[in-house]
Amino acid sequence: MHATTILMVRKGNRVVIGGDGQVSLGQTIVKGNARKVRRLSKGGVIGGFAGSTADAFTLFERLEAKLEQYPGQLTRACVELTKDWRTDRYLRRLEAMMLVADREVGLLLSGAGDVLEPENGIAAIGSGGNYALAAARALADGDLDAETIVRRSLAIAAEICVYTNSNIVIETLNET
């Protein structure tokens, strides 16, 4: 997926998802302050998306419905969403990826049917995702907290990726 960077870091008692604000159409920047990271399920879940905005909002709405159907079961809700995403004629045309997390688990979701939990608590998506991922992995070994790692890693990605800017939105959950 192009035109964004979304990063999730779980460290200590916090999980943080951050994303940049740039929206691009081809080689043109059309907006610099989009919110690609948001709270779901009455604030108990945070998520970020890369890809088509309309598609991502459709998927967020579907995930909200699955979270209502399976309260407190983020993994189950995500598995059910990705099953629909992969098999439904309308949904399988949606072009987006998502990172979602609650206090217990963080997951990467894709239309290919992926529901992946990163081994080290760090995941990234979007065109600048690999830059942010590499930076976050390097910074995670130190004494920095999860939010600082996300902020610094997204800043590094913004310096490298032309589809990423430094207008960062952060959402945080403290683990129980």
Side-chain angles (χ1 to χ4, degrees):
M1 295 292 147
H2 293 291
T4 199
T5 303
I6 305 294
L7 175 64
M8 174 178 63
V9 173
R10 182 179 298 275
K11 185 175 180 186
N13 66 344
R14 299 175 92 189
V15 60
V16 178
I17 296 180
D20 76 310
Q22 184 167 305
V23 177
S24 304
L25 288 175
Q27 297 176 340
T28 304
I29 298 168
V30 277
K31 185 171 180 160
N33 64 346
R35 287 190 56 92
K36 302 172 196 171
V37 176
R38 62 189 276 192
R39 290 187 171 273
L40 306 163
S41 190
K42 299 176 184 167
V45 174
I46 54 177
F49 71 87
S52 167
T53 306
D55 293 353
F57 283 117
T58 298
L59 292 166
F60 274 141
E61 288 172 7
R62 296 285 182 125
L63 180 57
E64 284 274 14
K66 295 295 182 186
L67 289 166
E68 288 177 16
Q69 188 176 355
Y70 305 104
Q73 301 178 62
L74 179 60
T75 301
R76 172 89 188 267
C78 289
V79 168
E80 295 300 322
L81 171 67
T82 56
K83 284 181 359 188
D84 290 350
W85 190 356
R86 188 159 167 79
T87 59
D88 182 270
R89 189 174 201 178
Y90 168 73
L91 291 178
R92 75 173 157 234
R93 293 186 181 141
L94 301 183
E95 297 181 11
M97 291 183 77
M98 300 171 69
L99 289 176
V100 295
D102 66 7
R103 287 174 175 81
E104 299 165 8
V105 67
L107 303 166
L108 182 149
L109 311 177
S110 81
D114 298 313
V115 179
L116 304 171
E117 182 177 8
E119 288 182 19
N120 58 5
I122 302 172
I125 56 175
S127 57
N130 286 334
Y131 306 119
L133 180 65
R137 285 183 178 172
L139 293 170
D141 290 338
D143 294 334
L144 301 176
D145 64 49
E147 184 172 338
T148 303
I149 293 169
V150 169
R151 287 187 185 282
R152 288 190 180 176
S153 298
L154 289 172
I156 290 167
E159 292 175 1
I160 300 169
C161 178
V162 297
Y163 296 108
T164 303
N165 71 10
S166 57
N167 188 352
I168 306 300
V169 174
I170 301 277
E171 290 290 349
T172 302
L173 289 175
N174 292 324
E175 295 178 356
T176 56

